[in-house]
C-alpha cells in the first residue's frame, strides 16, 4: 500500500510539470540516474540531463508569461499521461512492491492509473486556464512547489504524498464541476444575447 501511495504521489507530480519531476527523480537517485526509468533508460544520461534541464528551465520561466502558459499547457496535456505513467512505474519499481514480483502485470495497471491521474490534473488546469485566460503568478509558484514536494514525498513520505495526490484529485473533480457549470452559464448567456438563435420555429 505504501508503494502505491508513493506511485500516486509521483504521478501527481507529472500532472503539474513534465520535465521537472523526471529531473528530480534522476537527481535523487544520482547513483543510478535514469537507468531504471522506462524510455529514459535507453538514452545516454548526458542527453537526458540536457533535455530535462532545458525543459525544466522553460517550465519555470515560460509559465510566468501569458504566451508561455498557453504553449506549455498544450504540451503538458499531451505528454502528462506519459510522464505520469513513467513516474508511477519508476517509483513502484524503486519501492519494490511485493505484488509486482508475483504479478508483473500490476506494473502496467499502476502505470495506467498514474497516467490517468496526471491527465486529469492537467485537463482541469487547462479548463481553468481557458476560464481565467491567464493563471495568476501565485498559483504557478504553488504548482512548482507541489511538483517538487510530491516527488520528495514519493521517496521520503509516501503516505503523505499519496494523501496529497488523492486530495488534488478530489479538488480537481470539484473544480471541474464548477468549471462545467460556468461553461453552461456562459453558453446560456450567449444564447440569450442572440435572440435569433433563441427563437424557435412555430409548430
Amino acid at each position: 500500500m505504501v508503494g502505491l501511495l508513493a506511485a500516486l504521489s509521483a504521478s501527481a507530480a507529472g500532472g503539474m510539470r513534465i520535465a521537472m519531476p523526471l529531473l528530480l527523480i534522476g537527481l535523487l537517485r544520482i547513483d543510478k540516474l535514469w537507468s531504471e526509468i522506462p524510455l529514459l533508460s535507453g538514452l545516454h544520461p548526458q542527453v537526458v540531463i540536457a533535455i530535462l534541464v532545458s525543459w525544466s528551465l522553460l517550465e519555470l520561466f515560460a509559465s510566468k508569461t501569458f504566451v508561455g502558459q498557453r504553449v506549455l499547457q498544450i504540451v503538458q496535456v499531451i505528454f502528462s499521461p506519459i510522464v505520469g505513467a513513467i513516474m508511477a512505474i519508476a517509483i513502484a519499481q524503486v519501492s519494490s512492491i511485493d505484488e509486482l514480483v508475483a504479478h508483473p502485470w500490476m506494473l502496467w495497471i499502476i502505470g495506467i492509473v498514474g497516467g490517468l491521474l496526471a491527465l486529469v490534473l492537467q485537463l482541469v488546469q487547462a479548463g481553468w486556464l481557458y476560464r481565467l485566460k491567464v493563471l495568476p503568478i501565485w498559483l504557478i509558484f504553488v504548482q512548482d512547489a507541489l511538483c517538487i514536494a510530491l516527488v520528495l514525498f514519493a521517496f521520503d513520505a509516501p503516505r503523505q504524498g499519496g494523501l496529497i495526490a488523492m486530495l488534488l484529485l478530489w479538488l480537481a473533480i470539484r473544480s471541474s464541476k464548477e468549471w462545467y457549470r460556468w461553461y453552461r452559464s456562459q453558453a446560456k448567456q450567449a444564447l440569450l444575447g442572440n435572440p435569433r438563435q433563441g427563437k424557435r420555429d412555430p409548430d
Side-chain angles (χ1 to χ4, degrees):
M1 188 63 182
V2 175
L4 294 176
L5 291 175
L8 288 177
S9 178
S11 59
M16 297 293 169
R17 294 289 180 262
I18 299 299
M20 192 183 302
L22 293 173
L23 178 62
L24 286 174
I25 196 175
L27 295 178
L28 289 173
R29 293 179 58 82
I30 194 67
D31 54 335
K32 296 183 179 179
L33 287 176
W34 297 275
S35 60
E36 297 178 350
I37 299 181
L39 297 181
L40 299 183
S41 59
L43 300 176
H44 194 279
Q46 292 182 352
V47 176
V48 177
I49 290 177
I51 294 174
L52 294 182
V53 169
S54 301
W55 192 260
S56 296
L57 292 175
L58 183 64
E59 289 177 336
L60 285 174
F61 294 104
S63 60
K64 310 303 186 295
T65 64
F66 174 79
V67 177
Q69 287 184 12
R70 297 284 175 165
V71 174
L72 287 177
Q73 194 65 64
I74 296 173
V75 177
Q76 288 172 345
V77 168
I78 295 174
F79 290 99
S80 60
I82 300 174
V83 175
I86 291 175
M87 294 291 293
I89 292 174
I91 293 298
Q93 291 176 334
V94 171
S95 302
S96 299
I97 301 176
D98 296 335
E99 287 79 0
L100 295 179
V101 179
H103 307 287
W105 52 268
M106 288 191 62
L107 199 62
W108 291 98
I109 296 179
I110 293 174
I112 292 173
V113 172
L116 289 175
L117 174 61
L119 179 61
V120 168
L121 294 178
Q122 272 298 329
L123 288 177
V124 172
Q125 293 176 69
W128 281 105
L129 179 61
Y130 171 78
R131 175 176 177 177
L132 300 175
K133 306 303 181 183
V134 61
L135 296 178
I137 295 298
W138 65 266
L139 183 58
I140 302 299
F141 282 110
V142 170
Q143 289 177 334
D144 295 335
L146 268 177
C147 177
I148 297 173
L150 286 169
V151 176
L152 296 177
F153 282 148
F155 285 97
D156 300 328
R159 290 186 177 88
Q160 290 81 350
L163 291 176
I164 293 175
M166 288 188 286
L167 178 61
L168 288 174
L169 179 60
W170 177 76
L171 290 174
I173 295 174
R174 290 293 302 271
S175 63
S176 64
K177 292 180 180 179
E178 176 64 26
W179 176 79
Y180 179 72
R181 284 196 292 266
W182 172 83
Y183 179 78
R184 291 287 300 273
S185 66
Q186 292 293 109
K188 288 181 180 179
Q189 291 178 5
L191 186 62
L192 293 175
N194 190 351
R196 292 184 178 180
Q197 188 175 357
K199 284 184 179 181
R200 292 185 177 180
D201 295 330
D203 296 332

